[in-house]
Amino acid sequence: MKPYPFTAVVGLPDLRLALVLSSISPAVGGVLVRGEKGTAKSTMVRALAGLLPGVDVVDGCRFSCDPAAPDPLCPDGPHDGADSHRRPAKLVELPVGAAEDRVIGSLHLERALAEGVTDFQPGLLAAAHRGLLYVDEVNLLHDHLVDTLLDAAAMGRATVEREGVSVSHAARFVLIGTMNPEEGELRPQLLDRFGLTVEVASSRDPEQRVEVVRRRLAYEADPDAFAAQYAGEDAQLAADIEAAQQLLPAVKLPDEALRRIAEVCASFEVDGMRADIVTARAAVAHAAWAGRDEVTTEDVRVAARLALPHRRRRNPFDAPGISEEQLEQALRDAEPDPGPEDDGPGSGSAPSRDEAPQGSENAPQGEPKQQSGGQQKTVGAGETFKARVFRVKGTGEGERGRRSRAITDSGRTIGVQPASVREGRPHLVATVKAAAPHQKARGRTGAGLELRPEDLRFALREGREGNLVLFCVDASGSMGAKARMREVKSAVLSLLLDAYQRRDKVGLVTFRGDAAELALPPTISVDAAASRLEGLPTGGRTPLAEGLLEAARVLRVEEIRDPRRRPLLVVVTDGRATSGPDAVARAKAAAGLLAGVTTIVMDCESGKMRLGLAVDLATHLGAEHVPLADVAAESLADAVRARTGRAA
């Protein structure tokens, strides 16, 4: 069945342009496509490969070496004088759950030990060389695969090292990733490696939605006939891309354009110089696409809109995107100085944000407003900080992450798996020991070992796992007193940022008045939790028992849904229980339902007269008691230095 035609996709002009520019100039660095599910992200990416010109490759080379400039370190080389052929460009898909050996390749251990030869089996990075590497749901990619992609993207090579044997090959590809931000954000290191980013959303125009459905149904009814309708348009687009690729080396980037790029990047305060470089490359590619031999302001404008949105985020809670007004102002600021001008009325100068009229949309925003009516009020959070690291007790076997100890297929080797385990990374010494006693019976002659599949032993490795971090937050009136909730939100946001960095799943339970609610079901979208927390109102009595009961219910459900993620419960409270009859006794009974769960009680009690109720709650939960002021990592370091008498 033929793939859905690229030109048949309705709308999405920014995505279409970003993919075309990356195809014209792979040096741009690929495309990250962010958007809700069902917006044709994957459809457009898969259709792109059919538009790209074919590539010349050396006959018999599994690593797609260019006959005009073969890789001197190619494992299938040398290729001097080798024949070649032309093949279509490849789109290689990297599954989210792929094993590391499948991605970077592997060495045939049995042949290495028995015959003393290096038999390298290429992985997906080798298959993607000089083509496209596509990762759907790239934000769900395991950390070890992210690290592998970072290394390949930075070096243009993939290196495999196993048991003292090293193999390296070229791995230059256009990286394209798609993701749904609701399922969690991307690690900053990988995010920065994408040259361009595009936000996509389904159209709200009924006519356009009707056309989308009409075309999709027609394609499903007869894919070949539908593709034939757009074959001419796809062929023309492919020819235009090839023409732009040929024009690309002749496009000039004058100093004036470079100055505009630098002004724009400085205006948006992006980190590092990669933004400037990528914007310049994208501007050159856009000029070639437009048929120009010199970069203009319009090329810089388009390139900046695609290259900068994901580079100006300071943390995962910041919304991506750039201000069009700020972009235009930066471009104007970079224009050559025409000399003195009349600055009187009509000069066209726009007021700065600080000069905007009071009450206008651009006026500076003050403190978060308190909600009127009743006893409810909303308090904003303060600045985040580096938080202490809390870990789940014991050793798990859960999803890869960076929090608690776990048995994984990466990390340090701590032993050997039982002989019944037939997957993972081979353990060389254990394999040799298993095979050695049988060499005589197997009639071995010569230097090599006579190995059989049953001799293989695999390493037992310890790494880190991601956990379910469930926050149970007291939002009663006592928490809102003396701006305490501002400190609480700041601490919880800091812990959320830590959870994001450690690849955890997070959830949020809140309790106030006479009930508790699941404000955010467990998710890997940490920024969604931050958004719910930011708008959390406070007021009313303290139904502590209901909060603990709701937390216990959520953990029971999650144990069934996602049993590989061990829970870490963070109860944020001053320990008071004031809602309903026998509130304190019911809270103690509810605490008994959480026995065995690793729990942290973040004590929010303040003032000179303290009741110590949070300490008592921690005792009933079997939890670690942590005063609010000690959540920061610096506070812990200061306490250690004070106890040991070390200078700060």
Side-chain angles (χ1 to χ4, degrees):
M1 185 172 69
K2 290 189 176 182
Y4 197 90
F6 188 87
T7 55
V9 177
V10 179
L12 306 180
D14 285 348
L15 176 55
R16 191 186 309 270
L17 179 60
L19 293 175
V20 166
L21 295 183
S22 287
S23 302
I24 293 170
S25 176
V28 166
V31 183
L32 174 65
V33 190
R34 296 165 47 93
E36 58 196 18
K37 53 187 176 293
T39 49
K41 302 186 298 293
S42 300
T43 299
M44 287 200 74
V45 173
R46 293 190 174 102
L48 178 65
L51 303 180
L52 303 183
V55 294
D56 294 322
V57 297
V58 173
D59 288 349
C61 179
R62 298 172 297 169
F63 301 88
S64 302
C65 276
D66 185 350
D71 179 12
L73 300 179
C74 177
D76 285 353
H79 297 308
D80 296 336
D83 294 332
S84 64
H85 66 280
R86 192 170 184 84
R87 64 159 175 78
K90 284 186 179 180
L91 171 69
V92 176
E93 296 195 35
L94 193 160
V96 169
E100 185 178 12
D101 287 352
R102 179 72 184 96
V103 177
I104 65 175
S106 61
L107 294 173
H108 198 299
L109 183 60
E110 294 180 47
R111 290 200 65 193
L113 291 176
E115 305 174 28
V117 297
T118 300
D119 184 7
F120 179 70
Q121 304 298 316
L124 296 178
L125 295 185
H129 179 48
R130 303 178 66 202
L132 306 174
L133 181 64
Y134 172 47
V135 188
D136 192 16
E137 297 181 326
V138 64
N139 51 323
L140 304 183
L141 201 63
H142 289 309
D143 278 355
H144 70 296
L145 297 183
V146 170
D147 294 336
T148 298
L149 287 182
L150 289 176
D151 291 342
M155 306 300 296
R157 301 193 67 81
T159 301
V160 183
E161 295 186 355
R162 293 287 187 274
E163 314 299 346
V165 179
S166 178
V167 175
S168 176
H169 64 84
R172 292 183 295 276
F173 45 80
V174 176
L175 179 62
I176 301 177
T178 55
M179 60 174 282
N180 182 352
E182 295 178 355
E183 298 174 338
E185 287 295 340
L186 201 59
R187 273 178 57 185
Q189 296 93 326
L190 183 57
L191 182 64
D192 189 51
R193 290 294 180 185
F194 283 99
L196 311 178
T197 185
V198 177
E199 293 277 343
V200 297
S202 56
S203 173
R204 298 295 182 259
D205 179 11
E207 291 300 322
Q208 195 171 77
R209 295 174 73 93
V210 167
E211 184 61 23
V212 170
V213 175
R214 181 183 293 116
R215 293 188 185 188
R216 189 69 203 185
L217 294 178
Y219 171 73
E220 292 175 355
D222 192 343
D224 293 340
F226 183 81
Q229 295 179 30
Y230 294 90
E233 295 180 43
D234 271 9
Q236 182 59 54
L237 182 58
D240 292 342
I241 291 175
E242 187 169 12
Q245 288 177 334
Q246 295 174 355
L247 177 60
L248 184 70
V251 176
K252 298 176 181 177
L253 182 64
D255 289 345
E256 291 82 0
L258 276 174
R259 190 174 296 108
R260 293 187 185 96
I261 291 170
E263 187 74 37
V264 169
C265 292
S267 173
F268 286 103
E269 298 180 347
V270 295
D271 294 330
M273 294 300 299
R274 182 173 283 117
D276 302 63
I277 296 171
V278 170
T279 304
R281 289 171 175 167
V284 171
H286 188 265
W289 174 241
R292 291 188 289 267
D293 59 2
E294 184 170 295
V295 172
T296 66
T297 300
E298 177 60 21
D299 300 320
V300 174
R301 178 183 292 107
V302 172
R305 284 199 303 105
L306 298 174
L308 299 186
H310 60 302
R311 291 189 164 85
R312 60 182 302 269
R313 302 184 74 188
R314 291 295 179 266
N315 63 61
F317 310 144
D318 294 337
I322 61 174
S323 166
E324 292 286 347
E325 293 181 4
Q326 187 178 353
L327 174 58
E328 293 302 323
Q329 184 61 51
L331 291 172
R332 286 194 295 269
D333 291 344
E335 292 294 335
D337 187 0
E341 291 185 358
D342 181 12
D343 291 332
S347 62
S349 59
S352 67
R353 182 174 295 272
D354 293 337
E355 297 170 346
Q358 191 69 26
S360 71
E361 292 182 356
N362 292 330
Q365 299 297 314
E367 295 296 317
K369 296 180 180 179
Q370 293 189 352
Q371 295 178 353
S372 60
Q375 295 181 332
Q376 298 183 16
K377 61 180 179 179
T378 302
V379 180
E383 293 293 325
T384 57
F385 48 79
K386 181 175 177 59
R388 284 178 57 182
V389 181
F390 300 104
R391 305 191 191 279
V392 178
K393 299 174 184 177
T395 302
E397 297 181 357
E399 299 291 339
R400 287 177 181 270
R402 298 193 169 195
R403 183 172 296 277
S404 305
R405 293 172 52 190
I407 300 301
T408 65
D409 55 2
S410 66
R412 65 188 185 96
T413 299
I414 60 173
V416 182
Q417 298 271 21
S420 58
V421 176
R422 309 305 299 167
E423 61 181 6
R425 182 171 294 181
H427 193 292
L428 177 59
V429 174
T431 299
V432 172
K433 285 183 177 180
H438 308 290
Q439 295 304 296
K440 185 175 181 180
R442 293 173 182 175
R444 188 196 84 177
T445 59
L449 281 174
E450 181 69 28
L451 285 181
R452 294 182 181 176
E454 60 267 23
D455 297 328
L456 282 175
R457 298 293 183 269
F458 297 89
L460 181 67
R461 306 169 74 85
E462 182 181 271
R464 296 285 178 182
E465 67 178 1
N467 299 112
L468 166 61
V469 183
L470 180 64
F471 292 91
C472 186
V473 180
D474 183 351
S476 64
S478 64
M479 295 290 290
K482 299 179 181 179
R484 190 184 309 170
M485 185 52 82
R486 181 181 299 278
E487 299 177 21
V488 169
K489 288 186 177 182
S490 177
V492 176
L493 280 174
S494 300
L495 290 172
L496 281 171
L497 183 59
D498 179 71
Y500 162 77
Q501 294 167 342
R502 299 184 187 281
R503 313 302 285 174
D504 293 319
K505 203 173 183 178
V506 298
L508 177 63
V509 170
T510 64
F511 56 96
R512 62 187 177 90
D514 58 0
E517 66 169 335
L518 180 59
L520 181 72
T523 175
I524 61 174
S525 180
V526 177
D527 53 341
S531 177
R532 300 291 174 87
L533 180 72
E534 188 70 24
L536 177 66
T538 60
R541 292 183 175 274
T542 310
L544 178 58
E546 283 71 17
L548 297 177
L549 288 172
E550 179 64 12
R553 185 195 69 80
V554 172
L555 293 181
R556 285 197 304 271
V557 172
E558 279 302 301
E559 186 177 10
I560 298 172
R561 288 179 175 173
D562 195 356
R564 286 174 56 81
R565 285 192 185 268
R566 296 188 296 155
L568 173 65
L569 176 63
V570 182
V571 181
V572 185
T573 181
D574 56 11
R576 288 180 172 83
T578 61
S579 179
D582 301 322
V584 175
R586 289 190 299 107
K588 291 180 180 179
L593 298 177
L594 293 164
V597 177
T598 301
T599 305
I600 309 296
V601 173
M602 187 190 302
D603 188 350
C604 302
E605 192 174 25
S606 61
K608 294 182 179 180
M609 297 296 294
R610 303 193 181 192
L611 302 177
L613 298 176
V615 177
D616 188 42
L617 175 63
T619 301
H620 282 87
L621 286 168
E624 179 181 356
H625 171 262
V626 180
L628 180 61
D630 291 349
V631 175
E634 276 301 312
S635 299
L636 178 63
D638 293 341
V640 171
R641 284 193 288 264
R643 282 181 173 272
T644 59
R646 294 179 181 176

